[in-house]
Amino acid sequence: MLVTNKYLQTEAQKGQYAVGAFNTSNIEITQAIIEAHEEKNAPVIIATSTSAIKYCGIEVLSSVVRKMAEKASIPVSLHLDHGTDYDLIIDCVRNGWTSIMIDGSHASLEENIHLTSEIVKVCHGVGISVEAELGRLGGIEDNISVDEKDARLTDTEEAVRFVKETQCDTLAIAIGTSHGAYKFKGESKLAFDRLEEIKSRIDVPLVLHGASSVIPEVLEKANKYGANLGAAKGVPVEDIKKAISLGITKVNIDTDLRLAFTAGVRQILTEKPEVFDPRKIIGAGRDDIKDVVKAKIDVLGCANKA
Ligand code: G3H
Ligand code: 13P
Ligand code: ZN
């Protein structure tokens, strides 16, 4: 069944758990995400970036995810991740996305309010929910690198004004995470006090981007089979749990799926050099992604919440 992020996150807010937003860009990743959630009876958000949509073609990606979602035994939202282009957003609206993120975090506050309000008007008219972002994460976003010095935490007063003026349904905040596999040089350090402060002032459900943990066992396996991912470091599971206990209801994960896929594919290519059937090779990556997604569902607390 297809639903919106607003619905899933409102339920999560009531139940004090979080829903995972997992990025996909092909059939196998989508299968792994949906199968894992069906086995755990958990709701899920399938996230598609601009580059994933370009990679697959918008109609193809829409058909793949929507068909699988319609057949699934769990609620699924098809979500545009980090939408920045008005025309692409409209294309997603026309092609059956149920949730849109408008990412105006690169713009000034006034511009972000303007951009977001425009998208809210369009989407609310057709029952699609809107996630907006305030503050700026570091790392790689749609192939653009955001320097550590340009990253900045979400300002609480700005968040209060932003939500009131834009009428966005959910808000992504920056509390020290970043996109990609190299999030921290030393110990992880998230601004939980800022999260608490924002949560106490606004009612809309909150989102945590850049939430991959760079799971040590997965990293070890990928490196064992020839990857070179030395200093990769993510957000510890305990920090994710704490963020959820303080009000985060959507947790974005892409990097952990990429690492799992890499580990699985590298293993089969190394251990079974006689294999050349793409389904066996990609299938091994799919299996490793599925295991990681099931473990995430336990961390997020959304098992049996479908
Ligand atoms: O926000 C970033 C996501 O990991 C998407 O990355 O643009 O390479 O698909 P991508
Ligand atoms: P990670 O790079 O930590 O997986 O974050 C993904 C994300 O925020 C997608 O929007
Ligand atoms: Zn993100």
Side-chain angles (χ1 to χ4, degrees):
M1 187 196 12
L2 276 152
V3 297
T4 63
N5 281 13
K6 182 182 179 183
Y7 169 75
L8 292 180
Q9 290 184 250
T10 306
E11 290 301 301
Q13 191 150 276
K14 283 188 233 157
Q16 293 173 329
Y17 60 89
V19 179
F22 296 94
N23 286 75
T24 192
S25 53
N26 66 21
I27 290 178
E28 287 80 3
I29 299 173
T30 315
Q31 287 172 326
I33 299 166
I34 293 188
E35 281 173 22
H37 282 81
E38 284 192 292
E39 285 174 27
K40 291 272 190 181
N41 193 31
V44 66
I45 295 165
I46 304 281
T48 60
S49 67
T50 300
S51 50
I53 292 171
K54 284 194 183 136
Y55 176 79
C56 296
I58 193 160
E59 285 98 352
V60 173
L61 189 56
S62 164
S63 308
V64 166
V65 179
R66 285 184 63 90
K67 237 341 138 213
M68 284 187 204
E70 280 160 14
K71 284 174 65 185
S73 57
I74 47 158
V76 180
S77 173
L78 172 54
H79 175 70
L80 172 66
D81 193 24
H82 295 285
T84 49
D85 180 64
Y86 185 82
D87 292 340
L88 180 76
I89 291 173
I90 299 302
D91 260 4
C92 287
V93 169
R94 292 203 178 113
N95 279 282
W97 265 250
T98 56
S99 177
I100 296 291
M101 175 185 185
I102 166 70
D103 182 353
S105 62
H106 53 282
S108 66
L109 177 64
E110 302 300 328
E111 264 178 83
N112 194 355
I113 289 176
H114 174 71
L115 272 170
T116 303
S117 307
E118 290 299 302
I119 299 302
V120 165
K121 264 186 237 148
V122 173
C123 290
H124 282 184
V126 287
I128 292 176
S129 66
V130 178
E131 173 182 325
E133 179 169 332
L134 196 60
R136 188 117 209 238
L137 270 73
I140 305 285
E141 264 175 42
D142 264 318
N143 293 326
I144 299 162
S145 168
V146 181
D147 252 22
E148 241 172 81
K149 64 175 170 27
D150 294 327
R152 94 187 157 82
L153 300 186
T154 306
D155 180 88
T156 307
E157 293 306 325
E158 285 185 3
V160 172
R161 178 180 161 210
F162 186 86
V163 168
K164 190 163 172 252
E165 292 189 17
T166 64
Q167 295 293 301
C168 64
D169 299 294
T170 60
L171 183 70
I173 58 170
I175 55 166
T177 61
S178 60
H179 291 107
Y182 303 89
K183 300 186 192 299
F184 304 102
K185 294 211 176 79
E187 286 307 297
S188 73
K189 202 170 173 301
L190 299 192
F192 291 115
D193 50 344
R194 186 66 58 93
L195 165 57
E196 261 182 305
E197 193 180 272
I198 295 170
K199 178 69 194 150
S200 73
R201 300 283 307 280
I202 65 176
D203 289 333
V204 297
L206 300 176
V207 178
L208 186 65
H209 281 250
S212 279
S213 292
V214 186
I215 303 161
E217 298 76 25
V218 174
L219 192 64
E220 215 171 280
K221 177 169 169 181
N223 284 335
K224 176 179 166 193
Y225 291 108
N228 183 5
L229 299 162
K233 193 160 193 181
V235 184
V237 166
E238 290 319 311
D239 283 2
I240 298 294
K241 287 185 175 168
K242 185 165 178 188
I244 295 169
S245 76
L246 296 175
I248 291 291
T249 53
K250 172 174 175 271
V251 172
N252 283 25
I253 297 153
D254 187 358
T255 296
D256 278 339
L257 305 196
R258 295 178 182 201
L259 291 170
F261 184 84
T262 302
V265 168
R266 280 188 173 279
Q267 180 182 23
I268 189 165
L269 288 175
T270 308
E271 289 181 347
K272 297 192 174 162
E274 72 283 6
V275 167
F276 63 94
D277 180 340
R279 292 166 298 188
K280 295 212 171 88
I281 298 167
I282 302 172
R286 177 177 63 189
D287 292 347
D288 277 33
I289 290 182
K290 193 168 162 183
D291 289 344
V292 162
V293 174
K294 282 167 98 172
K296 293 283 174 192
I297 293 169
D298 292 336
V299 172
L300 305 183
C302 60
N304 295 317
K305 305 288 185 186

